[in-house]
Amino acid sequence: MGNDRLTQIVSLCRRRGFVFGGSEIYGGLSSIWDYGPLGAKIKKRIKDIWWDTYVDKREDILGLDSAIIMNREVFVASGHLEGFADYLVDCPQCKKRIRIDKIEKVSENNYRCAECGSLINILESKPKRFNLMLKTNISASEDSPQEAYLRPETAQGIFTNFLNVLNTTHKKLPFGIAQIGKAFRNEVTTGSFIFRMKEFEQMEIEYFVKPKDADRYFDYWVNERYNFYIERIGLKKENLRLREHSKEELAHYAKACIDIEYRFPFSSRKEDSDGEWSELEGIANRGDFDLTQHSRVSKKDLTYFDDEDNTRYIPFVIEPSAGVDRTFFAVICDAYDEEEVKGRKRVVLKLKPTLAPYTLAIFPLLKNNYTIVELAKKIFYDIKNKMPTIYDDTAAIGKLYRRQDEIGTPFCITVDVESLSDGKVTIRERDSMSQERISIYEIEKFVKEKVKD
Ligand code: ATP
């Protein structure tokens, strides 16, 4: 089932302009993707919902938009220059270069190639370390390069601005700093469409707390973020699960980490029996590691003065770190449905209406009838500033419905000859395909009542 479904989803994304290969007319670039007109809309809606939920609607979280290019020292302090590396091994049989941590361990020194299934002995095919950081040069002269790095996570911009935010807002613990932005990793394992990209976007919160409160807030954020995917993004509960990191898997600085996993139609974790659960978001209790490190390397005092307890300390931090692209991918996978209607396949994206590129589509039943087209366009121009609406008269009605089903438009309106005399139109609901006649004046109210957060 898995890969067929994935093939259909990738084909839909391409056909309808959700996702394109990066630099495609020049042959593309591995693991670099572009979002087309409809993909860009969905992606923006995901980010807007996240920002609205955590920054606009809360008093305890502040927004930030820090630079992508950062000073080398940042990554000395964070440990990325030293430790942000994968161990890669070349399969002696199929020659594919693979990450050792992502394939099945068969015995002490033997792993199984995920591509061709042959055994890889790590004493013979020695794994090599490969740093994932993308380096750039920001000097004006090529003779004396000044090395800088593209951030591999948005989090470091938050830590380096901790003092700026604290001093300018005078927040008291607990408080968070949130940001949405691009991150870059020179990933080696590729494939699985947009799951693992070299340039991707994250939505991260660093939530600073008193050390004694860290466990409680860790639990709070796991719960909060899990519910977010169900309630605000509309993912199905049965496709989501929590997975706690084992002691061996935990990053050395993390005190606890739980991944929110989604059941994608492929497997990036071969040891899973059902083979489809993969990380959507990681929530970590990072203790005081990051601020302590930046304090040590930058020689700036990053402590917090607690006037309730009259003490000074480095706060602990809870980090819910989500990927915009993986959320987008999960949204499309979750919504994708194929049904048989009157002996024909219907592809429909059952998106949560608040995420759909268009809420409403307007069609004239007869595109050559001037008065019908004029009325349909008038309805379109009246409503398009009130909700995302599209007008289409480039095909017969059945085809127009099918197009909107494929891009997840929850409601379609058809204007016909009778509309000219009775002032009513046919409104069709995407999932049930039920149709009813409503007055032109009721369209906005009718749709808004059904499209709730
Ligand atoms: P993985 O184990 O899949 O490589 P990770 O544990 O390295 O992921 P984190 O460093 O925890 O990922 O990053 C937080 C989130 O950022 C991930 O849950 C994911 O949604 C997103 N993310 C990380 N790397 C990528 C990538 N290469 N492409 C797309 N999204 C990514």
Side-chain angles (χ1 to χ4, degrees), residues 84 86 99 101-102 132 152-153 183-185 187 189 194-204 229 245 253 257 259-260 268-269 278-283 286 319-327:
F84 195 50
D86 285 337
R99 263 171 75 172
D101 64 319
K102 295 283 174 193
L132 301 178
E153 56 181 24
F184 301 80
R185 296 181 188 179
E187 300 275 6
T189 320
I194 57 171
F195 183 78
R196 195 174 297 289
M197 305 155 93
K198 293 190 179 181
E199 173 177 343
F200 57 99
E201 229 171 333
Q202 290 185 312
M203 305 180 282
E204 293 194 301
Y229 286 108
H245 283 213
Y253 50 79
C257 186
D259 285 345
I260 299 178
S268 72
R269 297 176 52 80
S278 303
E279 178 179 335
L280 197 55
E281 162 160 356
I283 298 140
R286 299 173 67 109
E319 176 192 77
S321 172
V324 180
D325 311 272
R326 283 192 195 169
T327 306

Side-chain angles (χ1 to χ4, degrees), residues 277-294:
W277 295 99
S278 303
E279 178 179 335
L280 197 55
E281 162 160 356
I283 298 140
N285 174 354
R286 299 173 67 109
D288 60 2
F289 173 80
D290 305 275
L291 289 179
T292 304
Q293 281 296 102
H294 285 298

Side-chain angles (χ1 to χ4, degrees), residues 17-66:
F18 289 105
V19 178
F20 304 126
S23 312
E24 213 174 74
I25 60 167
Y26 292 100
L29 268 182
S30 140
S31 299
I32 306 271
W33 298 91
D34 295 338
Y35 286 82
L38 298 181
K41 275 177 180 276
I42 297 181
K43 199 176 162 202
K44 180 162 186 305
R45 302 219 196 295
I46 292 170
K47 292 189 280 185
D48 285 349
I49 292 171
W50 187 91
W51 188 269
D52 176 66
T53 309
Y54 296 114
V55 182
D56 289 343
K57 294 256 162 68
R58 290 179 64 137
E59 287 172 49
D60 59 338
I61 302 183
L62 305 150
L64 183 77
D65 186 0
S66 70

Side-chain angles (χ1 to χ4, degrees), residues 217-270:
Y217 280 109
F218 177 71
D219 293 345
Y220 164 82
W221 277 109
V222 170
N223 199 31
E224 166 61 36
R225 294 296 304 144
Y226 177 80
N227 289 332
F228 174 90
Y229 286 108
I230 295 166
E231 286 159 19
R232 306 298 314 275
I233 299 296
L235 297 183
K236 298 185 189 87
K237 210 171 179 168
E238 66 265 28
N239 290 333
L240 283 170
R241 76 173 189 191
L242 298 176
R243 190 180 66 83
E244 191 166 358
H245 283 213
S246 62
K247 281 234 154 49
E248 303 78 65
E249 204 186 339
L250 271 186
H252 64 95
Y253 50 79
K255 302 209 173 314
C257 186
I258 286 184
D259 285 345
I260 299 178
E261 294 190 329
Y262 180 78
R263 199 201 313 231
F264 285 96
F266 59 85
S267 170
S268 72
R269 297 176 52 80
K270 296 293 177 205

